[in-house]
Amino acid sequence: MGLTVAEKILSAHLVKGELKRGAPLAIRIDQTLTQDATGTMAFLQFEALGLPRVKTDLSVSYVDHNTLQNDFLNMDDHRYLQTAAAKYGVKFSRPGNGICHQVHLERFGRPGTTLLGSDSHTPTGGGLGQLAIGAGGLDVACAMAGQPFYLVMPQIIKINLTDRLPDFVSAKDIILEALRRLSVRGGIGKIIEYAGAGVKTLSVPERATIANMGAELGATTSVFPSDAATKQFLQAQNRGADWQEITADADAVYDTEIRIDLNTLEPLAACPHMPDIVKKIAEIKNLRVDQVLIGSCTNSSYKDLMTVAYLLKGQKINPNVSLGLAPGSRQTLEMIAANGALETIVAAGARILESACGFCIGMGQAPSSGGVSVRTSNRNFQGRSGTQDAGIYLVSPETAAATALTGYLTDPRALKLKPCRFTPPHKFQTDDSMVLEPNPATEIIRGPNIKPCPRRGVLTEILNGEILLKTGDNITTDDIMPAGSKILPLRSNVPAIASYVFAGIDPSFAKRALDKKGGFIVGGENYGQGSSREHAALAPMYLGIKAVIAKSFARIHKANLINFGILPLTFVNPADYAKITRGAKLEMANIISALKQRANITAVVENQKIELTCELSARDRKILIAGGMLNFAAQT
Ligand code: MIC
Ligand code: SF4
């Protein structure tokens, strides 16, 4: 039987288990990436593992998220990360060099290898035929220490792309169409593999846009074949030697197949407040827009920025719109600066922002109250922009530029311009001087805000307490552990950041949890979707949360809960969700025995019995019994 691209890469990296759908397996990790918002904890955890240097082929530490320097906090983290990277054999991409996923794609990702990153958009590397997976910082620290990555073998969905995109319809519209059809839960437990004649019409950065937003589908990862376009991209990046061809066998077997006819697509927008509320731009009439922001790891490649410059050329933006543009990397910024496109963009009235995550993670550029913001980024969860009542629309760079000109959400075809004919460059401007090489003689510098990573004690047979919060479906990690310029600088200080857990939904949550010495959270479907931030588990653990009981969990968040010793339990009978109310008392007995015997756990909630289960591998059970991964690693 033939193999898919994902199966080929997985089988070449298999350490334990087999490629049977639903079976546990462990894979060797070739490369890791960390970023500054998750990286400080990941490096503290790596230090706790006691190794003199990393064991991967390549590990890169990026600074791209917390680049505002309102006080010493972020800068202290940068200094810690720079010195720790140098000491432990990790390359360090300095602030200003760009967004981790964009820079990794340009300079480091290699087809056929595995990449584990402490950021949910790590699958961007799938655009190059790399098997790139997002994980919590602790899992990445373990991979840096040479340990394999454990996962459950996902199903593999084939998305067959036919034909080619019409003018002014772009890669972003392809992934928005996939989100429209599959929803934010459609990719859970799945790898998405792209195939078909349409793939050949897409360059690597366009493929990366699509793979990037596979995270919004909840997919484990997304992957494209490595073909002639991949070779051309790597050669233009001066990395031709990194290329190898990887394509699916003709008789490869997929679990599901979906077809997207590219020629039928139209410009689309994800509407507030979820990436899967997708509509045709043409159907959203007369939407006046206050802000347009172009950038993020989804859409800030050289092609994206050149397209924006093409649309803005000789024009002025609408006076009611604030247009910001953040190039994804210093490479793209240098190139548009050198060829005059930057001048065009500035002349049109754009505000040029740093090559960093910036607005995408609420580090500045919060919209006005009740404002409408049109962005090329990947997440429009309520409040993530920094303004709770703003409405965020996610669109392509073409739509964003057209909107900035008219002041209304605009289908770029309405501008009646000649099609923009972009050919991928033969040579990108390559200069890695902002990536620092390691030096083991470096002394690590730790600022006063960097506090050790708290640990949980071993699991006990009986857990009891109050249901502190009951949520609905699709709760995001931004809901659980908000980000933004005020809270993100506290990522290295769990006791301090813990006071913001659920701050947007339930501001008294943290205090209540501490006063009651912890308790339980009840969630709906897809609890913990979105980011890989382990603080969404670590901070609740610090507050004493013992278990989360939900209808279903998002993959990375579930793994993070296990790593920090919080039980991720699901209802045997989902209708029991309705029986639990906030404030009710809950008790569970014989937990360790149930975990060991793979038996269900009975929770008693106000005299009612509710059967709970946990879908866990044998290793996950051991980690939970040990009280989390750090305790488990110390035992083994
Ligand atoms: C995000 O887009 O939400 C982030 C910020 O990049 C996160 C990582 C983090 O919270 O540090 C992600 O996607 O994993
Ligand atoms: Fe940065 Fe936004 Fe990409 Fe997250 S989604 S890595 S915050 S640009």
Side-chain angles (χ1 to χ4, degrees):
M1 195 177 77
L3 296 179
T4 73
V5 170
E7 284 171 328
K8 286 186 182 180
I9 306 176
L10 284 170
S11 64
H13 289 82
L14 199 62
V15 177
K16 274 187 209 155
E18 49 174 331
L19 300 190
K20 212 175 96 206
R21 309 294 197 258
L25 69 152
I27 53 168
R28 181 168 46 79
I29 295 299
D30 302 317
Q31 302 188 343
T32 64
L33 74 76
T34 46
Q35 40 87 338
D36 50 330
T38 53
T40 315
M41 275 301 146
F43 273 89
L44 290 172
Q45 288 153 354
F46 177 78
E47 287 192 274
L49 297 172
L51 268 75
R53 63 163 285 135
V54 294
K55 291 193 171 169
T56 44
D57 295 347
L58 173 86
S59 289
V60 189
S61 168
Y62 292 90
V63 174
D64 54 1
H65 281 65
N66 290 349
T67 53
L68 284 187
Q69 290 163 219
N70 288 333
D71 54 24
F72 65 90
L73 301 182
N74 289 341
M75 195 55 203
D76 275 11
D77 280 358
H78 301 174
R79 208 170 44 163
Y80 166 73
L81 288 168
Q82 179 166 343
T83 51
K87 184 169 173 72
Y88 294 118
V90 174
K91 287 186 195 282
F92 180 75
S93 171
R94 303 186 64 193
N97 197 41
I99 305 174
C100 54
H101 309 304
Q102 174 79 24
V103 177
H104 207 86
L105 187 84
E106 290 167 355
R107 305 303 305 141
F108 300 112
R110 287 179 55 195
T113 62
T114 52
L115 166 69
L116 195 72
S118 62
D119 191 283
S120 64
H121 290 102
T122 303
T124 310
L128 275 176
Q130 181 171 48
L131 200 85
I133 302 179
L138 184 47
D139 283 333
V140 178
C142 291
M144 294 198 295
Q147 294 175 24
F149 177 64
Y150 293 81
L151 72 162
V152 172
M153 178 64 196
Q155 292 191 352
I156 304 183
I157 308 189
K158 174 175 175 181
I159 299 196
N160 191 9
L161 303 179
T162 70
D163 224 300
R164 59 168 54 244
L165 287 168
D167 294 326
F168 299 105
V169 181
S170 80
K172 180 65 155 281
D173 299 307
I174 303 178
I175 188 64
L176 289 176
E177 171 66 8
L179 274 152
R180 188 184 71 79
R181 292 205 209 166
L182 300 174
S183 90
V184 291
R185 293 180 223 163
I188 296 179
K190 295 175 178 127
I191 292 178
I192 300 177
E193 214 173 292
Y194 290 86
V199 167
K200 292 198 183 58
T201 68
L202 301 170
S203 64
V204 166
E206 291 171 287
R207 296 174 187 185
T209 294
I210 297 168
N212 173 281
M213 274 190 88
E216 279 50 67
L217 289 164
T220 302
T221 190
S222 301
V223 67
F224 279 81
S226 169
D227 58 10
T230 323
K231 186 176 184 183
Q232 192 280 331
F233 175 79
L234 287 170
Q235 282 172 340
Q237 289 285 356
N238 228 344
R239 301 204 287 126
D242 285 347
W243 183 72
Q244 60 166 301
E245 185 171 31
I246 311 172
T247 48
D249 293 330
D251 55 348
V253 179
Y254 296 87
D255 295 273
T256 327
E257 191 170 327
I258 292 167
R259 190 170 123 176
I260 301 184
D261 295 326
L262 301 186
N263 57 327
T264 65
L265 292 183
E266 290 190 33
L268 300 172
C271 304
H273 299 286
M274 236 358 112
D276 60 358
I277 308 179
V278 175
K279 295 193 183 137
K280 289 181 182 167
I281 306 279
E283 282 169 6
I284 310 170
K285 303 250 187 302
N286 300 325
L287 180 72
R288 193 165 154 169
V289 173
D290 304 291
Q291 183 187 52
V292 174
L293 292 170
I294 298 170
S296 90
C297 58
T298 314
N299 270 130
S300 52
S301 67
Y302 178 64
K303 173 179 191 280
D304 290 337
L305 304 188
M306 290 304 291
T307 308
V308 169
Y310 175 79
L311 274 109
L312 296 183
K313 195 163 177 73
Q315 309 280 335
K316 296 287 175 207
I317 59 167
N318 182 283
N320 297 321
V321 171
S322 168
L323 168 66
L325 180 133
S329 65
R330 198 170 62 105
Q331 178 181 85
T332 58
L333 176 56
E334 275 189 42
M335 287 174 70
I336 60 166
N339 70 12
L342 182 61
E343 197 182 346
T344 304
I345 294 169
V346 173
R351 299 162 64 179
I352 303 304
L353 307 167
E354 197 178 2
S355 280
C357 299
F359 68 84
C360 176
I361 192 57
M363 273 281 167
Q365 310 303 122
S368 53
S369 41
V372 172
S373 178
V374 169
R375 303 178 169 205
T376 64
S377 47
N378 48 38
R379 289 187 173 143
N380 59 350
F381 305 143
Q382 185 160 21
R384 180 176 160 103
S385 66
T387 304
Q388 199 63 24
D389 62 359
I392 312 295
Y393 292 76
L394 306 175
V395 302
S396 69
E398 288 83 345
T399 301
T403 299
L405 291 175
T406 62
Y408 286 84
L409 185 66
T410 300
D411 183 330
R413 296 170 303 181
L415 299 182
K416 306 255 179 278
L417 292 174
K418 275 203 221 123
C420 165
R421 297 279 170 238
F422 173 85
T423 17
H426 292 298
K427 274 270 154 282
F428 285 96
Q429 200 159 320
T430 53
D431 166 11
D432 293 329
S433 57
M434 292 281 279
V435 180
L436 304 182
E437 289 299 323
N439 171 7
T442 310
E443 203 179 308
I444 297 182
I445 308 174
R446 285 166 226 274
N449 184 49
I450 301 178
K451 303 278 187 260
C453 180
R455 288 193 190 193
R456 165 140 284 182
V458 290
L459 185 66
T460 51
E461 275 288 16
I462 300 177
L463 292 179
N464 50 25
E466 192 176 302
I467 308 289
L468 294 165
L469 182 71
K470 182 175 177 183
T471 74
D473 293 345
N474 295 326
I475 281 294
T476 71
T477 49
D478 280 88
D479 295 323
I480 306 170
M481 187 73 263
S485 58
K486 186 166 143 206
I487 306 177
L488 266 179
L490 302 174
R491 285 284 181 94
S492 325
N493 183 342
V494 175
I497 205 169
S499 60
Y500 293 97
V501 171
F502 284 116
I505 294 185
D506 179 356
S508 66
F509 177 86
K511 182 165 182 313
R512 226 169 45 241
L514 281 176
D515 289 350
K516 308 236 156 145
K517 304 221 168 351
F520 303 93
I521 296 167
V522 172
E525 300 282 3
N526 200 18
Y527 181 87
Q529 69 156 328
S531 137
S532 69
R533 62 190 70 153
E534 62 190 356
H535 294 74
L538 193 44
M541 177 203 84
Y542 177 82
L543 297 177
I545 300 306
K546 299 162 191 177
V548 179
I549 304 164
K551 290 186 188 164
S552 64
F553 289 92
R555 175 187 65 89
I556 307 178
H557 186 60
K558 181 174 169 190
N560 286 335
L561 289 173
I562 296 167
N563 279 347
F564 292 102
I566 299 179
L567 292 167
L569 301 171
T570 46
F571 296 98
V572 171
N573 175 7
D576 284 343
Y577 167 85
K579 293 187 187 159
I580 303 189
T581 48
R582 182 175 143 181
K585 298 272 180 306
L586 181 148
E587 178 162 312
M588 297 184 273
N590 303 325
I591 292 176
I592 299 179
S593 339
L595 282 180
K596 285 188 176 156
Q597 290 156 21
R598 294 177 171 267
N600 288 346
I601 294 173
T602 310
V604 181
V605 187
E606 311 279 341
N607 296 327
Q608 308 175 84
K609 285 191 176 166
I610 291 180
E611 286 296 290
L612 302 171
T613 181
C614 33
E615 285 163 34
L616 300 170
S617 69
R619 180 172 174 272
D620 292 339
R621 288 165 199 273
K622 287 187 192 148
I623 295 173
L624 280 169
I625 293 170
M629 185 64 193
L630 287 173
N631 297 341
F632 175 73
Q635 287 170 5
T636 46

